[in-house]
Amino acid sequence: MDGNKLLGEFLRARRQLTRPAQVGLMEIGSRRTPGLRREEVATLAGVSTDYYVRLEQGRERRPSEQVLDALARVLELDPEATAYLHELARLRAREHRPGDRVDQVSPYVLRLIESWDYALAIVVNSRWDVLARNAMAIAFFKGMEYSDNLIRLVFLNPAAHELYRDWEHDAWSKVAHLRAVTGGDCEDPFLFDLIEELSLGSEDFRRMWARHDVRVRSYESKRFRHHEVGDLTLWQETFSINGTYGQQIIIAQAEPGSPSERGMARLGSLAGVTS
């Protein structure tokens, strides 16, 4: 994947999502395309239109930090999206190769997640492939097609709309997280295959991926409707595993004393977990 092309695609997508009124411009007459015009972005950022066009076309390879910060201000990017913009502009060949990617989970990490009998715990890589799960997570996703990859589950399994009570938000969040953690991963052919599969199989994925939203938040509350234990509200935390490329532990647990905790206890019984 060409880093300059990624930068241009990101700028174009965010420009088209920025309304003139957001940056103090009057919307006079109809516009052929949504959002800001290239010349408007260039003027507001203090660069020439030709320079900005070269950026979107991938022909300008070394934008300065000041230019990137000015573009982030004009396009009203949040800190996460601004950091992503800088990353795209500084892409270099990575030291690892696809064959060097290790998706084997450390036995110490396995022992850790298996010791948690009160929470769902899974290990994923940057593509949302599920590399390991504890007994509670096995019971939670039992019988669900595509549960070996959480983003495939969300977009390709119709039952996900029932499981995730806030499906639109959760689906968007996963796409934005995928965009954030893999935006600079230009050497992973499996990532390209995943994006192609999801794009062909889901109009919703195509719509969300085209926005180029970026999100790396590691904690949030999620609402589920499990077919055996009912409604659950779980607090989810995500932790990076140092020393492994792209691996993370996702933990979801209920508030103590809540109905969701009782639901989790029932799930534990189904999983054969004893506290």
Side-chain angles (χ1 to χ4, degrees), residues 11 20 36 42 47 60 65 71 94-95 108 124 152 171 178 186 193 207 217 231 238 240 248:
L11 288 172
L36 297 176
V47 298
E60 176 56 51
E65 301 288 322
L71 291 171
R94 295 177 182 265
E95 294 181 358
Y108 301 103
V124 299
R152 282 195 184 97
L178 184 69
C186 300
D193 293 342
R207 168 174 57 86
R217 182 183 299 176
D231 290 348
T238 304
S240 295
Q248 295 183 313

Side-chain angles (χ1 to χ4, degrees), residues 138-144 159 162-163 224-232 267 270:
I138 290 172
F140 186 82
F141 292 108
K142 183 179 179 180
M144 295 204 71
E162 178 71 16
L163 177 65
F224 301 95
R225 177 160 293 146
H226 193 269
H227 67 283
E228 290 189 277
V229 301
D231 290 348
L232 298 169
L267 184 65
L270 295 172

Side-chain angles (χ1 to χ4, degrees), residues 122 124 128 177 216-220 222 236-241 247-252:
I122 62 177
V124 299
W128 290 102
H177 187 268
V216 294
R217 182 183 299 176
S218 62
Y219 58 91
E220 62 183 338
K222 288 184 174 290
Q236 179 175 298
E237 287 270 6
T238 304
F239 302 93
S240 295
I241 302 175
Q247 287 188 15
Q248 295 183 313
I249 300 177
I250 300 175
I251 305 168

Side-chain angles (χ1 to χ4, degrees), residues 14 17 172 175-177 179-180 208-209 211-215:
R14 302 314 301 178
L17 290 171
W172 168 84
V175 171
H177 187 268
R179 181 69 81 173
M208 295 180 188
W209 187 252
R211 288 180 54 89
H212 287 250
D213 289 324
V214 177
R215 186 174 191 253

